[in-house]
Amino acid sequence: MEKSLVILKPDCMEKRVMGKVVTRLERAGLNIVDCKVMHLDKKMLSEHYAHLVHFPFFPEIEDFMGSRPVIAMIIEGNNAVSRIRTLLGPTDSQQALPGTIRGDFGTDKMLNIAHASDSKEAAEAEIQRFFGKK
Ligand code: ADP
């Protein structure tokens, strides 16, 4: 059993497709073990996206991710980290195949519906950051 942190981003909320995204995770046999609505502030975003803060497009990501409340979830299941990333598809929604969450609902590189931890270590740090627990 493994845990991953998933964030349903502002474009997911605006397009009202959270139910469809959650259904795909559930159909894959994954369980939601915690969930909350959050409005992400600049401090949280600069920690969460620390690997991107030096890019010129970071202010855009900050504006987008802080534009409305999002849903943060802890998802649990066998190989949850890699399986959720596969269900999502690549970062750029235009490159994501039909049948993937980003391929079906995303718009572009930034508006790509959901975040999911990219490693077990990242999942642990993100679960601690967003939920204050292991
Ligand atoms: P992922 O979310 O697939 O793990 P990254 O960690 O590289 O991808 O990027 C985090 C988020 O920042 C992406 O999901 C996307 O919303 C945004 N992003 C990444 N690269 C770009 C880019 N070149 N232009 C605009 N937004 C980007």
Side-chain angles (χ1 to χ4, degrees), residues 9 49 51-52 57 61 64 85 91 102 109-112 115-116:
K9 296 186 181 188
Y49 286 136
H51 59 297
L52 297 177
F57 52 81
I61 295 180
F64 162 57
R85 295 283 295 192
T91 306
R102 287 170 168 170
K109 259 188 193 160
M110 188 170 73
L111 309 182
N112 61 9
H115 163 83

mmCIF file of all heavy atoms in Angstrom, residues 9 49 51-52 57 61 64 85 91 102 109-112 115-116, ligand 1:
data_model
loop_
_atom_site.group_PDB
_atom_site.id
_atom_site.type_symbol
_atom_site.label_atom_id
_atom_site.label_comp_id
_atom_site.label_asym_id
_atom_site.label_seq_id
_atom_site.Cartn_x
_atom_site.Cartn_y
_atom_site.Cartn_z
ATOM 1 N N LYS A 9 -7.044 20.798 -9.380
ATOM 2 C CA LYS A 9 -6.641 22.189 -9.604
ATOM 3 C C LYS A 9 -7.838 23.082 -9.959
ATOM 4 O O LYS A 9 -8.923 22.582 -10.281
ATOM 5 C CB LYS A 9 -5.600 22.223 -10.730
ATOM 6 C CG LYS A 9 -4.301 21.505 -10.394
ATOM 7 C CD LYS A 9 -3.284 21.714 -11.511
ATOM 8 C CE LYS A 9 -1.987 20.984 -11.208
ATOM 9 N NZ LYS A 9 -0.920 21.340 -12.182
ATOM 10 N N TYR A 49 5.824 24.121 -5.243
ATOM 11 C CA TYR A 49 6.453 24.201 -6.567
ATOM 12 C C TYR A 49 7.862 24.794 -6.473
ATOM 13 O O TYR A 49 8.270 25.547 -7.353
ATOM 14 C CB TYR A 49 5.569 25.007 -7.515
ATOM 15 C CG TYR A 49 4.335 24.263 -7.982
ATOM 16 C CD1 TYR A 49 3.093 24.893 -8.030
ATOM 17 C CD2 TYR A 49 4.398 22.933 -8.415
ATOM 18 C CE1 TYR A 49 1.953 24.221 -8.470
ATOM 19 C CE2 TYR A 49 3.270 22.246 -8.850
ATOM 20 C CZ TYR A 49 2.051 22.897 -8.880
ATOM 21 O OH TYR A 49 0.934 22.227 -9.323
ATOM 22 N N HIS A 51 10.613 23.597 -7.133
ATOM 23 C CA HIS A 51 11.450 23.278 -8.297
ATOM 24 C C HIS A 51 11.128 24.165 -9.499
ATOM 25 O O HIS A 51 11.794 24.083 -10.528
ATOM 26 C CB HIS A 51 11.296 21.791 -8.670
ATOM 27 C CG HIS A 51 9.893 21.373 -9.013
ATOM 28 N ND1 HIS A 51 8.850 21.423 -8.108
ATOM 29 C CD2 HIS A 51 9.357 20.905 -10.168
ATOM 30 C CE1 HIS A 51 7.735 20.986 -8.700
ATOM 31 N NE2 HIS A 51 8.022 20.676 -9.947
ATOM 32 N N LEU A 52 10.116 25.009 -9.387
ATOM 33 C CA LEU A 52 9.707 25.837 -10.532
ATOM 34 C C LEU A 52 9.818 27.335 -10.274
ATOM 35 O O LEU A 52 9.621 28.131 -11.195
ATOM 36 C CB LEU A 52 8.239 25.531 -10.902
ATOM 37 C CG LEU A 52 7.918 24.111 -11.371
ATOM 38 C CD1 LEU A 52 6.431 23.974 -11.623
ATOM 39 C CD2 LEU A 52 8.684 23.771 -12.638
ATOM 40 N N PHE A 57 7.648 31.499 -15.949
ATOM 41 C CA PHE A 57 6.194 31.287 -15.917
ATOM 42 C C PHE A 57 5.662 31.028 -14.506
ATOM 43 O O PHE A 57 4.460 30.839 -14.317
ATOM 44 C CB PHE A 57 5.777 30.152 -16.869
ATOM 45 C CG PHE A 57 6.533 28.857 -16.672
ATOM 46 C CD1 PHE A 57 6.164 27.982 -15.657
ATOM 47 C CD2 PHE A 57 7.601 28.514 -17.491
ATOM 48 C CE1 PHE A 57 6.846 26.782 -15.466
ATOM 49 C CE2 PHE A 57 8.293 27.319 -17.304
ATOM 50 C CZ PHE A 57 7.914 26.455 -16.295
ATOM 51 N N ILE A 61 1.716 30.430 -12.786
ATOM 52 C CA ILE A 61 1.277 29.227 -12.061
ATOM 53 C C ILE A 61 0.693 29.631 -10.702
ATOM 54 O O ILE A 61 -0.348 29.126 -10.278
ATOM 55 C CB ILE A 61 2.456 28.252 -11.845
ATOM 56 C CG1 ILE A 61 2.960 27.720 -13.190
ATOM 57 C CG2 ILE A 61 2.048 27.082 -10.940
ATOM 58 C CD1 ILE A 61 4.125 26.762 -13.062
ATOM 59 N N PHE A 64 -2.703 31.156 -11.220
ATOM 60 C CA PHE A 64 -3.657 30.104 -11.581
ATOM 61 C C PHE A 64 -4.021 29.239 -10.371
ATOM 62 O O PHE A 64 -5.205 29.067 -10.037
ATOM 63 C CB PHE A 64 -3.053 29.249 -12.697
ATOM 64 C CG PHE A 64 -3.706 27.902 -12.888
ATOM 65 C CD1 PHE A 64 -5.066 27.796 -13.157
ATOM 66 C CD2 PHE A 64 -2.959 26.732 -12.800
ATOM 67 C CE1 PHE A 64 -5.663 26.543 -13.324
ATOM 68 C CE2 PHE A 64 -3.548 25.487 -12.962
ATOM 69 C CZ PHE A 64 -4.904 25.398 -13.225
ATOM 70 N N ARG A 85 -0.024 8.759 -11.654
ATOM 71 C CA ARG A 85 0.667 9.532 -12.708
ATOM 72 C C ARG A 85 0.306 8.974 -14.092
ATOM 73 O O ARG A 85 0.141 9.731 -15.035
ATOM 74 C CB ARG A 85 2.181 9.469 -12.501
ATOM 75 C CG ARG A 85 2.674 10.128 -11.232
ATOM 76 C CD ARG A 85 2.735 11.614 -11.278
ATOM 77 N NE ARG A 85 3.683 12.141 -12.224
ATOM 78 C CZ ARG A 85 4.051 13.423 -12.264
ATOM 79 N NH1 ARG A 85 3.542 14.297 -11.400
ATOM 80 N NH2 ARG A 85 4.897 13.855 -13.169
ATOM 81 N N THR A 91 2.513 16.106 -18.261
ATOM 82 C CA THR A 91 2.199 17.462 -17.814
ATOM 83 C C THR A 91 1.413 18.251 -18.860
ATOM 84 O O THR A 91 0.416 18.910 -18.533
ATOM 85 C CB THR A 91 3.520 18.221 -17.507
ATOM 86 O OG1 THR A 91 4.279 17.438 -16.589
ATOM 87 C CG2 THR A 91 3.241 19.588 -16.915
ATOM 88 N N ARG A 102 -5.669 14.051 -18.049
ATOM 89 C CA ARG A 102 -5.268 15.308 -18.687
ATOM 90 C C ARG A 102 -5.635 15.323 -20.168
ATOM 91 O O ARG A 102 -6.026 16.356 -20.708
ATOM 92 C CB ARG A 102 -3.767 15.531 -18.476
ATOM 93 C CG ARG A 102 -3.447 15.935 -17.032
ATOM 94 C CD ARG A 102 -1.960 15.916 -16.742
ATOM 95 N NE ARG A 102 -1.642 16.566 -15.461
ATOM 96 C CZ ARG A 102 -0.455 16.511 -14.887
ATOM 97 N NH1 ARG A 102 0.535 15.836 -15.452
ATOM 98 N NH2 ARG A 102 -0.242 17.131 -13.726
ATOM 99 N N LYS A 109 -0.281 23.069 -20.934
ATOM 100 C CA LYS A 109 0.749 22.685 -19.963
ATOM 101 C C LYS A 109 0.396 23.094 -18.546
ATOM 102 O O LYS A 109 0.723 22.412 -17.590
ATOM 103 C CB LYS A 109 2.068 23.372 -20.335
ATOM 104 C CG LYS A 109 3.018 22.483 -21.045
ATOM 105 C CD LYS A 109 4.372 23.174 -21.193
ATOM 106 C CE LYS A 109 5.216 22.397 -22.179
ATOM 107 N NZ LYS A 109 6.292 23.203 -22.735
ATOM 108 N N MET A 110 -0.222 24.265 -18.417
ATOM 109 C CA MET A 110 -0.518 24.758 -17.072
ATOM 110 C C MET A 110 -1.890 24.281 -16.587
ATOM 111 O O MET A 110 -2.029 23.823 -15.451
ATOM 112 C CB MET A 110 -0.439 26.289 -17.037
ATOM 113 C CG MET A 110 -0.550 26.829 -15.632
ATOM 114 S SD MET A 110 -0.194 28.579 -15.513
ATOM 115 C CE MET A 110 -1.656 29.236 -16.260
ATOM 116 N N LEU A 111 -2.872 24.393 -17.454
ATOM 117 C CA LEU A 111 -4.234 23.991 -17.063
ATOM 118 C C LEU A 111 -4.369 22.497 -17.328
ATOM 119 O O LEU A 111 -4.824 22.072 -18.393
ATOM 120 C CB LEU A 111 -5.279 24.770 -17.866
ATOM 121 C CG LEU A 111 -5.138 26.298 -17.889
ATOM 122 C CD1 LEU A 111 -6.268 26.928 -18.693
ATOM 123 C CD2 LEU A 111 -5.151 26.859 -16.483
ATOM 124 N N ASN A 112 -3.934 21.711 -16.352
ATOM 125 C CA ASN A 112 -3.876 20.259 -16.584
ATOM 126 C C ASN A 112 -4.595 19.448 -15.491
ATOM 127 O O ASN A 112 -4.229 18.320 -15.184
ATOM 128 C CB ASN A 112 -2.427 19.809 -16.797
ATOM 129 C CG ASN A 112 -1.551 20.102 -15.597
ATOM 130 O OD1 ASN A 112 -2.057 20.486 -14.538
ATOM 131 N ND2 ASN A 112 -0.255 19.903 -15.731
ATOM 132 N N HIS A 115 -2.810 17.695 -9.855
ATOM 133 C CA HIS A 115 -1.439 17.393 -9.446
ATOM 134 C C HIS A 115 -1.437 16.013 -8.803
ATOM 135 O O HIS A 115 -2.387 15.652 -8.116
ATOM 136 C CB HIS A 115 -0.956 18.414 -8.398
ATOM 137 C CG HIS A 115 0.251 17.935 -7.643
ATOM 138 N ND1 HIS A 115 1.528 18.079 -8.145
ATOM 139 C CD2 HIS A 115 0.377 17.273 -6.459
ATOM 140 C CE1 HIS A 115 2.387 17.532 -7.284
ATOM 141 N NE2 HIS A 115 1.715 17.034 -6.247
ATOM 142 N N ALA A 116 -0.360 15.265 -9.018
ATOM 143 C CA ALA A 116 -0.157 14.024 -8.252
ATOM 144 C C ALA A 116 1.321 13.890 -7.935
ATOM 145 O O ALA A 116 2.169 14.196 -8.791
ATOM 146 C CB ALA A 116 -0.644 12.817 -9.047
HETATM 147 P P1 ADP B 1 3.677 17.745 -13.082
HETATM 148 O O1 ADP B 1 2.523 18.509 -12.494
HETATM 149 O O2 ADP B 1 3.244 16.928 -14.285
HETATM 150 O O3 ADP B 1 4.449 16.924 -12.058
HETATM 151 P P2 ADP B 1 5.791 19.797 -13.039
HETATM 152 O O4 ADP B 1 6.112 19.439 -11.625
HETATM 153 O O5 ADP B 1 6.912 19.924 -14.038
HETATM 154 O O6 ADP B 1 4.715 18.808 -13.693
HETATM 155 O O7 ADP B 1 5.037 21.224 -13.054
HETATM 156 C C1 ADP B 1 4.110 21.552 -12.075
HETATM 157 C C2 ADP B 1 2.970 22.308 -12.706
HETATM 158 O O8 ADP B 1 3.421 23.571 -13.192
HETATM 159 C C3 ADP B 1 2.363 21.623 -13.924
HETATM 160 O O9 ADP B 1 1.417 20.642 -13.582
HETATM 161 C C4 ADP B 1 1.730 22.787 -14.660
HETATM 162 O O10 ADP B 1 0.482 23.161 -14.095
HETATM 163 C C5 ADP B 1 2.756 23.898 -14.416
HETATM 164 N N1 ADP B 1 3.759 23.961 -15.492
HETATM 165 C C6 ADP B 1 4.834 23.146 -15.663
HETATM 166 N N2 ADP B 1 5.553 23.505 -16.746
HETATM 167 C C7 ADP B 1 4.917 24.587 -17.283
HETATM 168 C C8 ADP B 1 5.157 25.436 -18.430
HETATM 169 N N3 ADP B 1 6.203 25.241 -19.234
HETATM 170 N N4 ADP B 1 4.275 26.429 -18.670
HETATM 171 C C9 ADP B 1 3.223 26.643 -17.848
HETATM 172 N N5 ADP B 1 2.938 25.900 -16.755
HETATM 173 C C10 ADP B 1 3.765 24.875 -16.479
#
